[in-house]
Amino acid sequence: IAVRVSNGSGKGQFIADKPYYLEVEGQKIDLKFEWKYKIGAKVDRIAPGQTFIRWKPTGLYNAMINPLINYNIKGALWYQGESNTGKPKEYGDLLTTMITDWRNKFNNKEMPFITVQLANFMESKAQPIESNWAELRDQQRKVSLQVPNAGLAVIIDIGEWNDIHPLDKKTVGDRLALQAMKLAYGKNIIADGPVYQSMKVDGNKIVLTFKAGTDDFAPVAELKGFAIKNAEGKWAWAKAKIEGKTVVVWNDSVTNPVAVRYDWADNPDGNLKNKTGLPASPFTTE
């Protein structure tokens, strides 16, 4: 087999757990095992490295947004955030400022703006720890709730641990379409999974409530993805159960709970959804 590789940065490699095969006349030949190889030819770089104009201030805006501002548009779909996970806490202000600026530029103060929340990514962790990816998702969640006529397409259940750009784009499009039908076209439909609203401490448990209309929970044998914080500031995995329109969270070893997190990890495994199959966004009660 002859393979030509063009690699501009990093090291060339096959990505673990991805399917690699040859398909000839309907027959698949698996290529995922160990290879023996010989480099037939190596070509030196024929040009200097790329200048990533999209990473420069004003690069994307001047090239791709400013030329459009004299057009009428129905709304905006925003699928970005991975490059901001190094400084996640500033993302909410940046995104809010950009939405306001675009609405001013397009002379449409109510222009629908729908964000795709970051998908689950990277290896799972055994313990509940801090996560920049979770923090950035929470910034996206808060913007969708605080900025008028903004929506959030949650894709925390379709990511891949080994691919920052997961292959399932159809589900992304379906969930964006639901948000667009509701925000831009005024359809009376369910476009969100359970949306966290408030918490109440009840003894050694915390009771969570969710936005009316999103609290028609799908039944599951065991809720996953919840962590609970004690008064000393330590997080531990928690049990959780659905009780009517609420979710009750506890850990038998935590007698003085103060906060709850859901799906707060790079690659969480939570399963809180509504009966239409839409997942709850990761959130923290803090």
Side-chain angles (χ1 to χ4, degrees):
I1 300 173
V3 178
R4 178 178 293 173
V5 177
S6 177
N7 186 40
S9 63
K11 60 180 181 179
Q13 61 180 326
F14 289 125
I15 300 174
D17 291 346
K18 287 286 188 179
Y20 293 97
Y21 58 87
L22 288 177
E23 185 168 356
V24 181
E25 296 181 349
Q27 181 182 4
K28 290 184 178 180
I29 303 171
D30 197 345
L31 301 177
K32 69 182 179 182
F33 303 103
E34 287 190 11
W35 282 45
K36 293 181 179 179
Y37 69 94
K38 176 183 178 182
I39 298 176
K42 186 175 181 180
V43 179
D44 293 331
R45 186 186 295 272
I46 60 176
Q50 298 181 54
T51 297
F52 289 98
I53 194 66
R54 60 188 177 276
W55 290 350
K56 304 294 184 182
T58 76
L60 276 176
Y61 176 81
N62 284 333
M64 303 184 72
I65 301 301
N66 190 61
L68 304 177
I69 60 175
N70 289 325
Y71 290 87
N72 291 323
I73 67 171
K74 190 70 175 179
L77 309 178
W78 182 254
Y79 192 170
Q80 185 274 339
E82 297 88 346
S83 296
N84 295 81
T85 52
K87 297 180 179 179
K89 291 184 181 296
E90 66 184 30
Y91 192 78
D93 288 339
L94 291 172
L95 185 58
T96 300
T97 301
M98 191 190 76
I99 294 171
T100 301
D101 181 63
W102 283 20
R103 287 174 171 175
N104 289 335
K105 291 294 195 304
F106 285 103
N107 196 29
N108 183 351
K109 304 295 186 184
E110 300 298 322
M111 183 182 77
F113 193 98
I114 304 167
T115 299
V116 179
Q117 193 179 56
L118 292 186
N120 49 311
F121 176 54
M122 296 185 287
E123 294 184 354
S124 300
K125 300 296 192 297
Q127 298 299 324
I129 61 175
E130 297 303 320
S131 163
N132 281 8
W133 278 65
E135 178 65 50
L136 194 134
R137 293 185 194 111
D138 203 49
Q139 294 288 320
Q140 293 173 318
R141 178 185 70 90
K142 290 176 179 177
V143 169
S144 74
L145 296 174
Q146 295 168 0
V147 174
N149 222 28
L152 185 69
V154 177
I155 58 168
I156 196 63
D157 57 335
I158 67 166
E160 301 174 49
W161 77 267
N162 56 2
D163 197 337
I164 198 170
H165 300 296
L167 297 179
D168 182 1
K169 297 299 191 290
K170 183 179 185 302
T171 301
V172 180
D174 289 342
R175 292 176 184 174
L176 281 170
L178 289 174
Q179 291 288 336
M181 293 294 286
K182 182 177 181 179
L183 290 175
Y185 297 97
K187 300 295 184 181
N188 184 22
I189 60 173
I190 297 174
D192 297 288
V195 176
Y196 166 72
Q197 191 167 57
S198 65
M199 63 156 276
K200 179 180 69 173
V201 177
D202 183 11
N204 70 331
K205 297 179 173 65
I206 290 181
V207 181
L208 306 175
T209 59
F210 294 78
K211 182 180 177 181
T214 71
D215 51 1
D216 187 19
F217 306 118
V220 292
E222 179 186 3
L223 279 178
K224 298 186 294 184
F226 287 90
I228 198 164
K229 182 181 180 182
N230 64 18
E232 290 72 43
K234 184 176 180 180
W235 291 95
W237 293 125
K239 298 178 182 178
K241 64 178 180 179
I242 296 168
E243 288 191 356
K245 298 292 186 180
T246 68
V247 173
V248 180
V249 184
W250 77 98
N251 179 309
D252 292 334
S253 299
V254 178
T255 58
N256 51 353
V258 296
V260 164
R261 284 174 173 173
Y262 172 70
D263 264 4
W264 197 270
D266 298 337
N267 190 359
D269 64 349
N271 58 351
L272 180 62
K273 299 183 178 183
N274 61 17
K275 289 180 179 176
T276 65
L278 294 173
S281 165
F283 64 85
T284 177
T285 63
E286 292 183 300

